[in-house]
């Protein structure tokens, strides 16, 4: 080998080791940076223009399959988390049976107050306790309905926020695709842009389950597991219109609530075959249009059962046809055609409430009574007790077909919510465990600082060897020139 050849080899070696040292420095500095892919140098032997080593480029080392699986786990966690959060909060509002303020506790208090009043039908104090317990029961049902509708509104607002995030994020990924493509065309290292793109896509992954597909020149396409193309060259545009108020009568099928559109075309959001099924966005649609709607139907079904028990014409002969029973629908008699949102309107008949122009003694003498009867007559009060304990088959609310008392139906209402919550928690727990496992696997494949420091020592040795070759070549040239 000639002196000039050795000199050329050493120079290329110095350039390569210098670049390798820069990459090691970058790797170590970004060991804790989220989304950072470990860099390594791609080298080859020069076959033209002299001998030595050629720097072909920088490799960004990431496991795309593992990242893809972790993103799907992120989406599953978002989906089950939305339902679990709603059901957990609803269960707290209803209350568990061991809590005095729960629905079951208020039912027990109402029944106990009727029993005490029947034992002393002449006592206004005990009659007042019946009114207080009845008001407490209806107020609790009103609050439960309000909570459900507030949760639906929160879900609607969350959907709007997620859609905005998706649209902005997809545009960012599209822009990064263009920059990465341009950088690779110029032969510039685009690893930093790829890191940023990965973080952008990771931020979108909990919202919808995303699959990343490679395209030419470092470009990627994004599709959902349901088959919706979110990005392939050009970013898709999702559309959604939020509302400022939601009441039980407002539904997606009825047209009062907005659905989701993709590039102007409506897409189904209601089942597992939806194009966006499986992420937090789908979870919020499920809460707004399915889970919360079912909870409202159950609450209304319980309220209907309670109203109809005391609206029985045979219970109180003083009531005129068409008058409400002890419990009313916004002050009027209940009609089966108006069941929707009944739990938000149920109230105690004003005829027994002194603050509304009524009288407590009507609990004893009849809701339609104009004058007081015998203060020792507990017949109507005993009838009210029997109405609560009568075995009755609920006609709505998606309850079981078994005959139940009013207290039994209250227990089933809570049990159904608790069962759904437990199922959602189990599914969320599995999804979260899977997500954490995949995340740990991904992190374990990140920058290994020990390995990087060992590589740095090798680079230093290679640098020193190349520098020694140059120094020796220089000494040889100087010797030749001195001859």
């Amino acid at each position: 080998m000639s002196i000039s050849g050795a000199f050329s080899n050493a120079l290329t070696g110095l350039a390569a080791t210098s670049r390798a040292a820069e990459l090691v420095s970058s790797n170590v500095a970004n060991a804790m940076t989220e989304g950072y892919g470990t860099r390594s140098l791609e080298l080859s032997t020069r076959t033209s223009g002299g001998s030595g080593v050629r720097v072909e480029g920088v490799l960004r080392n990431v496991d795309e399959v593992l990242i893809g699986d972790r993103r799907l786990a992120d989406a599953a966690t978002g989906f089950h988390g939305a339902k679990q959060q709603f059901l957990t909060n609803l269960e707290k509002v209803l209350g568990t049976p061991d809590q005095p303020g729960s629905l079951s506790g208020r039912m027990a208090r109402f029944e106990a107050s009727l029993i005490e009043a029947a034992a002393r039908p002449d006592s206004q104090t005990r009659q007042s306790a019946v009114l207080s317990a009845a008001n407490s029961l209806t107020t609790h049902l009103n609050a439960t309905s309000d909570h459900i509708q507030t949760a639906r509104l929160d879900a609607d607002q969350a959907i709007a926020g997620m859609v905005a995030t998706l649209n902005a994020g997809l545009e960012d990924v599209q822009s990064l695709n263009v920059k990465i493509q341009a950088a690779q065309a110029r032969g510039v290292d685009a690893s930093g842009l790829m890191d940023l793109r990965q973080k952008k896509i990771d931020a979108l992954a909990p919202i919808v389950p995303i699959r990343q597909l490679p395209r030419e020149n470092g470009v990627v396409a994004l599709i959902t597991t349901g088959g919706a193309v979110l990005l392939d060259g050009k970013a898709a545009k999702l559309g959604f219109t939020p509302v400022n108020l939601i009441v039980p009568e407002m539904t997606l099928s009825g047209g009062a609530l907005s659905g989701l559109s993709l590039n102007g075309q409506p897409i189904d959001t209601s089942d597992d075959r939806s194009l966006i099924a499986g992420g937090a966005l789908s979870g919020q649609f499920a809460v707004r249009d399915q889970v919360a709607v079912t909870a409202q139907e159950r609450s209304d079904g319980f309220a209907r059962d309670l109203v109809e028990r005391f609206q029985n014409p045979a219970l109180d002969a003083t009531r005129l046809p068409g008058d409400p029973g002890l419990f009313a629908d916004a002050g009027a008699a209940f009609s089966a055609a108006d069941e929707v949102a009944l739990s938000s309107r149920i109230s105690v008949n004003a005829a027994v409430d002194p603050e509304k122009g009524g009288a407590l003694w009507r609990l004893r003498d009849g809701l339609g009574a104009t004058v007081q009867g015998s203060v020792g007559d507990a017949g109507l009060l005993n009838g009210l007790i029997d109405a609560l304990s009568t075995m009755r088959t609920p006609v709505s609310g998606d309850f079981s077909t078994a005959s139940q008392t009013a207290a039994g139906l209250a227990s089933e209402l809570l049990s159904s919510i608790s069962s759904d919550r437990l199922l959602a928690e189990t599914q969320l727990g599995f999804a979260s465990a899977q997500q954490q496992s995949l995340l740990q696997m991904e992190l374990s494949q990140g920058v290994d600082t020990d390995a990087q420091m060992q590589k740095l020592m090798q680079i230093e040795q290679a640098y020193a060897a190349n520098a020694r070759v140059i120094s020796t070549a220089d000494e040889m040239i100087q010797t030749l020139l001195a001859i």
Side-chain angles (χ1 to χ4, degrees), residues 401-426:
T401 56
S403 298
Q404 301 184 71
T405 64
L409 192 61
S411 297
E412 183 178 341
L413 173 61
L414 176 60
S415 177
S416 64
I417 299 299
S418 298
S419 296
D420 291 345
R421 187 266 306 165
L422 183 59
L423 176 60
E425 279 190 352
T426 301

Side-chain angles (χ1 to χ4, degrees), residues 53-72:
V53 63
R54 180 197 302 274
V55 177
E56 295 290 349
V58 176
L59 296 178
R60 180 175 178 269
N61 302 300
V62 293
D63 190 335
E64 295 291 357
V65 174
L66 179 59
I67 292 174
D69 290 343
R70 191 261 303 155
R71 286 171 178 166
L72 295 182

Side-chain angles (χ1 to χ4, degrees), residues 180-325:
I180 291 170
Q181 188 175 31
Q184 291 197 346
R186 297 196 307 270
V188 179
D189 178 20
S191 298
L193 294 173
M194 291 181 178
D195 287 341
L196 180 57
R197 184 177 64 188
Q198 178 178 319
K199 290 179 64 176
K200 289 289 184 180
I201 298 174
D202 285 347
L204 304 180
I207 302 176
V208 289
I210 292 176
R211 288 288 190 189
Q212 177 178 313
L213 302 178
R215 295 291 187 258
E216 295 181 353
N217 301 319
V219 174
V220 299
L222 300 177
I223 65 170
T224 68
T225 54
V229 179
L230 299 180
L231 172 67
D232 196 358
K234 184 177 180 181
K237 187 72 173 180
L238 288 94
F240 178 79
T241 304
V243 296
N244 296 319
L245 175 69
I246 291 183
V247 295
E249 293 83 358
M250 296 173 64
T251 62
L252 176 63
S253 59
L257 296 177
S258 172
L260 187 68
S261 65
L262 182 66
N263 293 327
Q265 297 298 317
I267 60 176
D268 186 16
T269 60
S270 61
D271 57 29
D272 294 338
R273 295 186 299 273
S274 168
L275 295 179
I276 61 162
L281 181 60
S282 176
Q284 293 297 340
F285 270 110
V287 168
R288 191 195 70 171
D289 300 328
Q290 299 170 36
V291 183
V293 171
T294 298
Q296 182 68 49
E297 290 174 350
R298 289 172 176 170
S299 180
D300 292 341
F302 174 79
R304 175 178 178 175
D305 179 82
L306 187 64
V307 169
E308 290 182 338
R309 285 176 182 271
F310 296 96
Q311 197 168 279
N312 187 347
L315 180 62
D316 182 1
T318 67
R319 282 196 309 115
L320 296 175
D323 285 350

Side-chain angles (χ1 to χ4, degrees), residues 164-197:
T165 299
L166 275 172
N167 286 330
L170 291 173
E171 289 181 359
D172 288 342
V173 175
Q174 176 185 330
S175 175
L176 287 169
N177 270 343
V178 173
K179 293 177 180 178
I180 291 170
Q181 188 175 31
Q184 291 197 346
R186 297 196 307 270
V188 179
D189 178 20
S191 298
L193 294 173
M194 291 181 178
D195 287 341
L196 180 57
R197 184 177 64 188

Side-chain angles (χ1 to χ4, degrees), residues 24-57:
V24 169
S25 175
S26 176
N27 289 337
V28 174
N30 290 280
M32 302 300 292
T33 301
E34 183 180 356
Y36 181 83
T38 306
R39 275 54 157 173
S40 62
L41 206 59
E42 185 179 16
L43 303 174
S44 65
T45 302
R46 295 179 65 182
T47 58
S48 62
S51 58
V53 63
R54 180 197 302 274
V55 177
E56 295 290 349

Side-chain angles (χ1 to χ4, degrees), residues 391-454:
M391 302 297 291
R392 188 172 185 272
T393 302
V395 296
S396 62
D398 195 29
F399 292 106
S400 66
T401 56
S403 298
Q404 301 184 71
T405 64
L409 192 61
S411 297
E412 183 178 341
L413 173 61
L414 176 60
S415 177
S416 64
I417 299 299
S418 298
S419 296
D420 291 345
R421 187 266 306 165
L422 183 59
L423 176 60
E425 279 190 352
T426 301
Q427 293 171 329
L428 176 61
F430 176 79
S432 298
Q434 186 180 38
Q435 177 196 39
Q436 289 301 314
S437 296
L438 291 170
L439 180 60
Q440 289 302 318
M441 292 172 62
E442 183 182 347
L443 292 175
S444 69
Q445 295 184 3
V447 178
D448 184 342
T449 53
D450 291 338
Q452 292 297 314
M453 297 310 294
Q454 291 175 1

